[in-house]
Structures are given as C-alpha cells and as structure tokens.
Amino acid sequence: MPSEETSKSTASHSPCSSCCSAVSETSTLVYDHETWVDFVPHVHELCRQLWPSASENDDFVIEKLRGGSYNRIIGIKTPSSSTGEAHGSYVLRIPRFEFAQQAREMAIVRYVRQHTSIPTAEIIFFDSTSENPLKAPYVVHSRIPGKDLQDIYRTLDHQDKLAIAEQWGNMLLSEFAIQNDFPGVVDATADDSGANTYGFRPFEVDPEPEEERQDVRLLSKQTVLDMFILQFERWDAADKRAYPDDFPLDHLTRLTTVAKEMDASGLFKDVGFSLCHLDLAPRNVMVKVESDNPAQISGVLDWDSAVFGPSFLACEPPSWIWAWSNCEDENDDQDEDYREIHANDTPATPEDQELKRRFEDVVGVDMLKFFYNPRYRLARSLFNLALNGLRSNDAFPKTDRLIQEWEGLQSKSTESSSAVDQATVSLQQASVDEALANSEDLES
C-alpha cells in the first residue's frame, strides 16, 4: 500500500480522454515501457486510489512531462473533491530501472526541505513496491510552479537575470553551509509517529562485501584526503573482484598520488564536507516570472545524486549566467570543462559583466578561489572519479587528462618557486655586495 506523507486527499476517478499527450516514444522505444496510451489507464486507476474523495463528475488531467534518464515523469491535476476541496497539481515519478534507490532519493529531498531554505517539492505519496496499478514503485510529490529555467533564461530581461544571479549565489552558499563530519549519502528512517531520523552512509561501491562497507560506516570522522584514499582503495578492491584476470592498469594508484599532492599543496586545508546537489543546472531549476516582481527561483529538482562531499563541490561556477551559449540551449554537457576553464574570463558585454559581479558579490571574495582556481576544478573532477570509479567508457581518458593537467600545474608551480628562490638569492647577494662595498668605503 502507498504511504501518505500528508493527510491531504484531493481527487479521484477520470477516464483516459483527459490525458494531454499521445504516445511517449522515448519511454516506449528507449526504455521498453508501455506506450503512453496504454499506460494512462493505469495512472487513472492509481489516482482513484490515492484521491478517493474526488468528484466523479470531473476528470483528472494526466500530462506527459519531459522525463530524465532515471525516471518517467507524469503530471497530475486533480479535480475538486466532492467535499469542496480545491484541485491540486502533482508530479508522478516512476523509476525506469529496478536498481533505483527510491528511499534514498526521498530521504535527501526531505533533508533539504528540513535543513535549508532551498525550495524543493513536497512528497505526498510513495510506494516502494510493485503492488499497485502501475506495477512499479512510484513517488507523488507537489508540482513546483513556474517554468524550466533552461527554456526561458535567454528570454529574461536584465533585471530578472540579476535576480537569478543573486538567488543562485545564495543557493550555493546554503549548500556550502550544511556540513557533516564525513562524506556520504543521506539516509532516513521513520519512527511510529512518522518523524524522520536522518543518518549517513558511505558512497556505493560495487561489488563490495557488506562487512567491508560496514567497516567504512565505523569511521566517525574523515579528512578530504582520507576520503580520496579510502574511495580509491575501495574501487581498487572492487575492480579486482569484478575483473580478477584483467586488471593491469594503475590509474587508481596514480589518482591517489594526485590526491596526496593536492593535500600537500594546501588545497584541502580547512575544507570540510558540504551538501552538494551535483547536477545543479538550469534544466533542474524552476522559475516564476511575474511582470511586477523580479524572477524567483521556485524550486530545485532532481536531488537524486546529491551527496555530502568536499565543500568545493558546491562551487562549480555558473558561468552560463554571464556567458550563455548554444551548449546550454541544446542541453549539451560535452563542453563542461571548457566552460569552467573560461568561467573567470571577462564577459563580452557590460550587462554580462554586471551579472558576473552580482554573483561574485553574493558569494563573497573569500569563496571565489573555490570557483575559479583551476586546482579546485581538477579536485572536483577527481571527486567524480572517486565517487563513480573507472567504470564508464570515458573514465580512463578523463583520468589521463586530469593527471596531465595536474602535472602541468605542478611543474609551473615548481618553476615559479624556483624563480622566486633565485630572485631571493640575487637580492641577498646584492645586499651582501652592498654591505661589503660600504665596509670598504669606511676603511678607506
């Protein structure tokens, strides 16, 4: 049976004629789901169960929304209830894959709502089983008002963009401020009263025996370097278990060396573990635009991948605010490195320069090193490899590029230090020569 997060009931019953779309080609062809037309009756049946007080004279409105890689997304608008309760707007999320970690995803949303001012959806119903009309787990949450920032940013006027720059900076500061003694993902358990108790568990590494994962749980506190070393050790052991006869490469060892060199350079000094969304991009943000008020961020979506990680993870520069490109319009992630490398370039127009200044004024001068220092960009890339291991096709090329760039920065740093040392020696020798000359003048 579904669990209800609130005591609300709002509607029921509705025939298929009320749906707002035809065949969902993406879900049908890519994910081997039922066609949209065949699936809608199951959604209506679920709605009748969840909102039994809805008037039978009105229909639910079922809308196909743009889904993500991991969830099928459906909009639901309930009719007024027979008792006079107003209609409501909701979103139904159905995991595309069996391995989806629904409980964890709900835990992080609840945690964010409870511990930050970042607007997120409210979970209304959920079912982690397949014993329902959908024959699949699902979550129903409130529908965040507004429009997708990805779709409308270029149409906003300058004052609205300034408002977004300011609010975005404050969101990142909110994430940065929520800290924990060790890295991991948020977990939650509910007591008999329904109150949530939050805990934290290690990042997933597969395959890993439960006893080894339990050993990680026993660590009460970690440094950033501890986290990197432990993660690469865990992935090394997992890879050797998964591929015992085919593991000749030393990439994880080399990445561990990079982490140690980063720490030795002072990069991790005074860095803790903060809440990090990991996919905080315009496509996951809803915005309300009203003629008489500045644009307002109304909600942040897709907290599925959020973690507690090194605080610099929350500091990826949002250069799209002052340097929107065709890549953002096309939702293209291929140029992420390029955009971050050039994030601190002077924007092309006075208006874009003002947007960049507004964001920087909000986050403060002391935080800018985390956004623009290329070493922290590489540290963010290093974390992604520590989190996910070297399991994707592009992981090894990314590793090679990271190591090569880090070695280049180290070499420049060494050359700079040598130049400073040489200059210091020259100044010292000049002082000695001057002292000797003065001494000879006095003797004469």
Side-chain angles (χ1 to χ4, degrees), residues 136-154:
Y138 68 83
V139 175
V140 175
H141 60 71
S142 58
R143 186 165 183 175
I144 297 172
K147 297 181 178 179
D148 187 330
L149 183 58
Q150 177 86 28
D151 294 336
I152 68 168
Y153 185 76
R154 292 190 70 174

Side-chain angles (χ1 to χ4, degrees), residues 34 39 42-44 46 92 94 130 132-138:
E34 282 185 287
F39 189 66
H42 303 311
V43 179
H44 281 293
L46 177 67
L92 170 65
I94 306 156
S130 297
N132 57 66
L134 304 180
K135 306 299 183 187
Y138 68 83

Side-chain angles (χ1 to χ4, degrees), residues 347-365:
T349 68
E351 290 80 7
D352 288 340
Q353 292 168 23
E354 185 179 12
L355 291 173
K356 185 171 183 285
R357 284 196 304 272
R358 178 65 61 88
F359 170 78
E360 291 171 351
D361 288 344
V362 170
V363 299
V365 65

Side-chain angles (χ1 to χ4, degrees), residues 164-413:
I164 295 298
E166 184 171 327
Q167 293 167 53
W168 202 275
N170 282 321
M171 279 202 307
L172 296 184
L173 290 178
S174 294
E175 282 193 316
F176 193 92
I178 305 299
Q179 301 212 347
N180 197 41
D181 285 340
F182 48 88
V185 297
V186 177
D187 225 341
T189 56
D191 60 24
D192 294 338
S193 67
N196 291 307
T197 300
Y198 297 100
F200 305 90
R201 56 187 175 83
F203 301 125
E204 293 293 328
V205 170
D206 183 48
E208 183 175 56
E210 179 56 35
E211 60 271 17
E212 292 188 17
R213 185 174 291 117
Q214 190 63 31
D215 289 342
V216 179
R217 288 177 182 268
L218 296 176
L219 296 173
S220 59
K221 191 169 184 178
Q222 292 182 45
T223 65
V224 173
L225 179 60
D226 291 337
M227 178 211 69
F228 277 119
I229 292 175
L230 179 60
Q231 278 299 107
F232 290 133
E233 286 178 348
R234 294 174 70 200
W235 279 115
D236 182 62
D239 287 342
K240 288 175 178 174
R241 279 190 292 268
Y243 314 107
D245 300 323
D246 185 24
F247 202 75
L249 301 177
D250 64 345
H251 283 65
L252 290 171
T253 301
R254 295 166 66 198
L255 290 173
T256 300
T257 299
V258 170
K260 291 178 178 179
E261 290 175 352
M262 286 181 172
D263 182 68
S265 72
L267 208 61
F268 302 153
K269 183 180 180 182
D270 300 325
V271 173
F273 299 106
S274 293
L275 178 66
C276 306
H277 184 286
L278 290 189
D279 194 18
L280 192 58
R283 62 181 174 272
N284 288 327
V285 174
M286 303 296 290
V287 173
K288 287 193 296 185
V289 182
E290 300 172 348
S291 58
D292 298 332
N293 297 299
Q296 182 72 33
I297 292 176
S298 54
V300 177
L301 309 173
D302 286 352
W303 287 90
D304 305 13
S305 60
V307 300
F308 274 89
S311 296
F312 49 74
L313 290 181
C315 300
E316 182 177 336
S319 58
W320 54 268
I321 291 176
W322 55 84
W324 190 274
S325 71
N326 291 333
C327 294
E328 277 80 17
D329 286 330
E330 297 167 2
N331 197 14
D332 183 1
D333 290 331
Q334 292 184 352
D335 290 327
E336 281 184 356
D337 286 344
Y338 178 86
R339 294 198 295 274
E340 192 166 346
I341 288 169
H342 294 279
N344 201 27
D345 292 355
T346 301
T349 68
E351 290 80 7
D352 288 340
Q353 292 168 23
E354 185 179 12
L355 291 173
K356 185 171 183 285
R357 284 196 304 272
R358 178 65 61 88
F359 170 78
E360 291 171 351
D361 288 344
V362 170
V363 299
V365 65
D366 291 340
M367 293 284 290
L368 295 183
K369 64 181 180 182
F370 295 121
F371 289 93
Y372 299 138
N373 187 326
R375 293 171 180 267
Y376 283 112
R377 171 174 54 81
L378 293 181
R380 285 189 282 273
S381 297
L382 186 68
F383 175 81
N384 288 330
L385 293 167
L387 178 65
N388 299 308
L390 306 183
R391 296 293 178 86
S392 65
N393 291 333
D394 61 351
F396 288 99
K398 283 184 176 180
T399 297
D400 290 334
R401 289 196 299 270
L402 187 157
I403 293 172
Q404 182 178 9
E405 187 174 355
W406 173 255
E407 290 175 346
L409 289 174
Q410 287 289 85
S411 177
K412 288 181 181 179
S413 177

Side-chain angles (χ1 to χ4, degrees), residues 35-51:
T35 65
W36 175 251
V37 170
D38 292 335
F39 189 66
V40 167
H42 303 311
V43 179
H44 281 293
E45 185 180 352
L46 177 67
C47 290
R48 288 195 295 272
Q49 292 184 6
L50 298 181
W51 290 282

